[in-house]
Amino acid sequence: MRHIGVGRWMLLATFGLLSAARAKDEIPIVLEEQLGHTWESDLVHRRVEIPAGMKLMPDRATLLLDGKPVPFQFDNLATNRDGSLTAADVWFRSDLPANGTRVLTLKSGKPAAETDLKATREGGVLEIGNARTAARLPLGPGAANGPLLGVRLASGKWTGAMQVRTDAAWESLATEILAQGPIFVRARTACRFAGGGRYDVEVTLREGEPLVRVDERYEKAGAVVLDLGTGLEPTHFATKADYRGNM
């Protein structure tokens, strides 16, 4: 997993999550703060099982806090034959006072859709981004010889492209959007080479965050070169040991 930060970003501890019984047509999600810390606004996700007898459609669900819809997104859906949910991960943001609680309600209704996330296609390029950063991915083999064309920095400049250097012949390159909603957008570029070589790259952006997450998986793909020199003017440099100690 590569994290390309383009500004200040902080990883926060997750909230304690509890559930409680309620009406059959709604599911409560209870956040309970147990560390004595006040959280301003953090991203939370919870696996929710839909009880028997409750019909919840992915595109007709809402998450309420104090009776008002808040932006949220489903991921890793499990469904019935009619498309209704049996289980899903629920992603949303919430603040939480020290030693306090927040009770949200998942039910059928019109979802809140406020977000700064966008996904556009133009000239063989898919661009996914938010108000603070963006990433460009090729839609086909004619756009580039790598799965990532660049990352937009806080300055507005773009980094160089990722390139795959291999002796094997290219067979295909294709990009698809795996998830898109008000909380995050995720796209995957799949590269295939002669002889069974493969290189898959998933790029994820979250709303409001100056961070591009790059998850890569490769096999018999040769050398991979990521050019971050073009347009990049770092103010700090850190290694894994700076965060986790010597490994």
Side-chain angles (χ1 to χ4, degrees):
M1 170 75 77
R2 303 179 190 269
H3 285 179
I4 303 173
V6 294
R8 181 175 295 175
W9 184 82
M10 182 177 294
L11 177 66
L12 301 178
T14 58
F15 299 120
L17 293 170
L18 301 174
S19 289
R22 196 180 282 187
K24 291 183 178 181
D25 62 348
E26 58 186 39
I27 300 173
I29 299 177
V30 181
L31 309 182
E32 184 178 75
E33 209 292 312
Q34 300 175 346
L35 302 177
H37 180 80
T38 296
W39 307 91
E40 296 298 331
S41 178
D42 196 25
L43 190 60
V44 183
H45 74 280
R46 167 71 189 274
R47 187 69 177 175
V48 170
E49 304 289 336
I50 311 302
M54 178 179 177
K55 186 173 183 177
L56 188 66
M57 304 300 293
D59 59 346
R60 297 193 294 275
T62 188
L63 186 65
L64 304 177
L65 176 63
D66 297 330
K68 298 180 180 179
V70 298
F72 82 101
Q73 186 168 342
F74 288 126
D75 196 26
N76 297 321
L77 283 65
T79 62
N80 295 303
R81 291 184 178 180
D82 63 357
S84 62
L85 292 171
T86 60
D89 293 339
V90 182
W91 290 79
F92 58 96
R93 289 190 181 274
S94 179
D95 62 352
L96 194 60
N99 303 310
T101 61
R102 288 280 186 270
V103 180
L104 298 96
T105 303
L106 180 66
K107 60 185 299 184
S108 295
K110 184 178 180 180
E114 298 87 354
T115 185
D116 64 351
L117 291 170
K118 294 181 179 179
T120 59
R121 294 174 173 87
E122 184 176 356
V125 174
L126 170 67
E127 182 174 318
I128 58 176
N130 58 31
R132 307 182 71 179
T133 187
R136 288 174 176 164
L137 297 89
L139 287 172
N145 66 338
L148 182 62
L149 301 180
V151 173
R152 191 185 74 217
L153 307 174
S155 64
K157 297 179 180 179
W158 287 81
T159 69
M162 177 185 288
Q163 298 183 6
V164 177
R165 297 176 181 174
T166 175
D167 293 332
W170 281 77
E171 291 187 343
S172 65
L173 184 153
T175 296
E176 61 178 330
I177 294 180
L178 301 178
Q180 183 178 5
I183 303 299
F184 61 86
V185 57
R186 181 189 303 126
R188 179 173 60 203
T189 299
C191 308
R192 298 294 180 264
F193 309 94
R198 57 186 299 157
Y199 184 39
D200 295 333
V201 171
E202 291 187 6
V203 179
T204 303
L205 280 82
R206 295 173 177 173
E207 55 89 20
E209 290 188 358
L211 185 70
V212 177
R213 292 168 170 82
V214 181
D215 186 11
E216 53 191 350
R217 299 175 179 84
Y218 57 91
E219 180 180 357
K220 301 178 183 179
V224 179
V225 179
L226 177 59
D227 175 14
L228 290 178
T230 303
L232 184 64
E233 299 175 356
T235 57
H236 297 80
F237 177 79
T239 66
K240 185 183 294 185
D242 294 323
Y243 294 97
R244 302 182 184 177
N246 295 322
M247 299 182 65

